[in-house]
Amino acid sequence: MKKVSFLLVCFALFLLWSCKKDKDQPVSFPKYWIVNSVTPKGIYRLFYDNKEITDQAAINKFLSDSSTHLKGQYLNRKVYMETHRAIGDTIFTMPKADSMVLNKWVKYNVSLHNHTYTFKGKEVIVINPNDDVAKSLSFLKYKNITNGCVPNKICTGHESFISTGDDKVMQLPVIAVTLKYSEGVLSQAGINAFDETFPPKMPKGDTLLIREYVYELKAK
């Protein structure tokens, strides 16, 4: 009986030592993240004149329009909204614990706390709050961080967004949009999410089509 108890104690000590060893192992950098999957989050959503249009026929008609221009050709909106899913070799590099680089040129400061990653772009961007497109893009959930503004002219700032995950898996929010506004049509896709408080504030006459996705990244 004593021999069995002694063996159990030894086994427990071995487990504790193994866990401590794993915990103490430092994370090596650079660390690479690759896009493992892209999953649609819900359906296509269409907004017009401060309200959401749920009529599928109206949504399909807007999707079938071929006025979206991409890489030298005109695509219907549905094809464009799906094009960004061909992610190929999209790679995020983490050169150190507080920094992330997308495909070698888009750089972010990053922090992880309680399974939430917070990203802030390192590059200074120009923001024109009076531009019609800038006003319309206020439907994005994660707003740019503004440093300061020149009165009646422009502001400068940094891109920002958050994602969830841990040191092995990360989920990035991605939104694809087509906006038809007074000056024309704007189509784009990027890391961000939809601001559900936006529809009542839509400019009169604007039409907005969105679809959200989740990009799952895995550390390699």
Side-chain angles (χ1 to χ4, degrees), residues 138-178:
S138 59
F139 61 76
L140 296 176
K141 180 177 181 179
Y142 304 118
K143 316 296 184 187
N144 293 323
I145 300 170
T146 303
N147 294 333
C149 300
V150 176
N152 301 318
K153 291 188 178 180
I154 62 172
C155 307
T156 59
H158 299 268
E159 178 189 0
S160 69
F161 60 89
I162 64 171
S163 69
T164 57
D166 51 35
D167 61 344
K168 297 181 178 63
V169 179
M170 186 188 308
Q171 292 82 33
L172 285 179
V174 172
I175 184 171
V177 304
T178 292

Side-chain angles (χ1 to χ4, degrees), residues 175-192:
I175 184 171
V177 304
T178 292
L179 172 68
K180 187 176 181 180
Y181 66 113
S182 60
E183 300 298 321
V185 178
L186 172 71
S187 295
Q188 67 176 41
I191 302 171
N192 215 304

Side-chain angles (χ1 to χ4, degrees), residues 8 19 22 31 45 49 55 68 71 84 95 97 102 105 115 123 130 155 157 173-174 199 205 212:
L8 287 174
C19 291
D22 290 340
K31 184 176 182 179
R45 299 175 67 188
D49 269 359
D55 180 8
T68 300
K71 294 183 179 179
H84 71 95
L102 169 59
W105 60 279
H115 298 286
E123 306 299 326
N130 298 314
C155 307
V174 172
E212 295 185 272

Side-chain angles (χ1 to χ4, degrees), residues 105-125:
W105 60 279
V106 183
K107 300 177 181 179
Y108 301 95
N109 291 312
V110 60
S111 62
L112 173 61
H113 181 66
N114 291 335
H115 298 286
T116 299
Y117 281 93
T118 301
F119 289 80
K120 178 183 176 183
K122 291 186 178 183
E123 306 299 326
V124 175
I125 59 176

